[in-house]
Amino acid sequence: QVQLVESGGGSVQAGGSLRLSCEASGYTYNTLGWNRQVPGKQREGVAVIDADGSTVYADSVKGRFTISQDNAKNTLYLQMNGLKPEDTAMYYCAADSRPFAANEALGVLRRGGFHHYGQGTQVTVSS
């Protein structure tokens, strides 16, 4: 059974940090990523990592967020530093067995085209 379980969300003040985790099971994934959604706003692809370990980030988070994975633990991470109130959103882990290149994958993620998503974890940043 395919399962993606996120954790690590919470409330922080602007400038703070959080690390999101996503434990993946039940499938072999080649491309992993994070997107975020604010009610009433367009989904945003935040970061992806491809099978070669290449990473791509949305311009809005570049230099502040870092995506990584621990293959031994089947876990994907999103380290978020320098958080801003505009980072407030529900964050979703996404995974796909297709081997997208990272640049391509960000666009697919933005369109909601990955095959599997977690249930989401809320991040709230106060000013």
Side-chain angles (χ1 to χ4, degrees), residues 38-75:
V38 176
K41 294 190 176 181
Q42 190 173 7
R43 178 190 306 113
E44 181 181 17
V46 174
V48 296
I49 184 166
D50 69 16
D52 294 329
S54 296
T55 59
V56 172
Y57 299 89
D59 289 342
S60 59
V61 307
K62 206 171 293 183
R64 300 187 296 121
F65 290 13
T66 303
I67 188 171
S68 63
Q69 60 182 359
D70 184 332
N71 290 328
K73 296 181 179 179
N74 293 323
T75 302

Side-chain angles (χ1 to χ4, degrees), residues 10-115:
S11 297
V12 296
Q13 290 191 327
S17 298
L18 284 172
R19 188 176 80 157
L20 306 183
S21 299
C22 172
E23 187 173 346
S25 61
Y27 209 73
T28 299
Y29 303 107
N30 283 298
T31 315
L32 298 162
W34 293 91
N35 67 5
R36 62 188 182 186
Q37 179 87 61
V38 176
K41 294 190 176 181
Q42 190 173 7
R43 178 190 306 113
E44 181 181 17
V46 174
V48 296
I49 184 166
D50 69 16
D52 294 329
S54 296
T55 59
V56 172
Y57 299 89
D59 289 342
S60 59
V61 307
K62 206 171 293 183
R64 300 187 296 121
F65 290 13
T66 303
I67 188 171
S68 63
Q69 60 182 359
D70 184 332
N71 290 328
K73 296 181 179 179
N74 293 323
T75 302
L76 178 72
Y77 301 100
L78 185 68
Q79 177 66 44
M80 305 185 295
N81 298 327
L83 283 162
K84 303 176 181 180
E86 52 264 42
D87 294 319
T88 295
M90 185 73 79
Y91 284 71
Y92 298 90
C93 170
D96 205 297
S97 61
R98 293 170 290 178
F100 295 114
N103 278 315
E104 177 189 13
L106 192 63
V108 175
L109 186 61
R110 186 183 301 118
R111 296 189 296 273
F114 271 45
H115 283 167

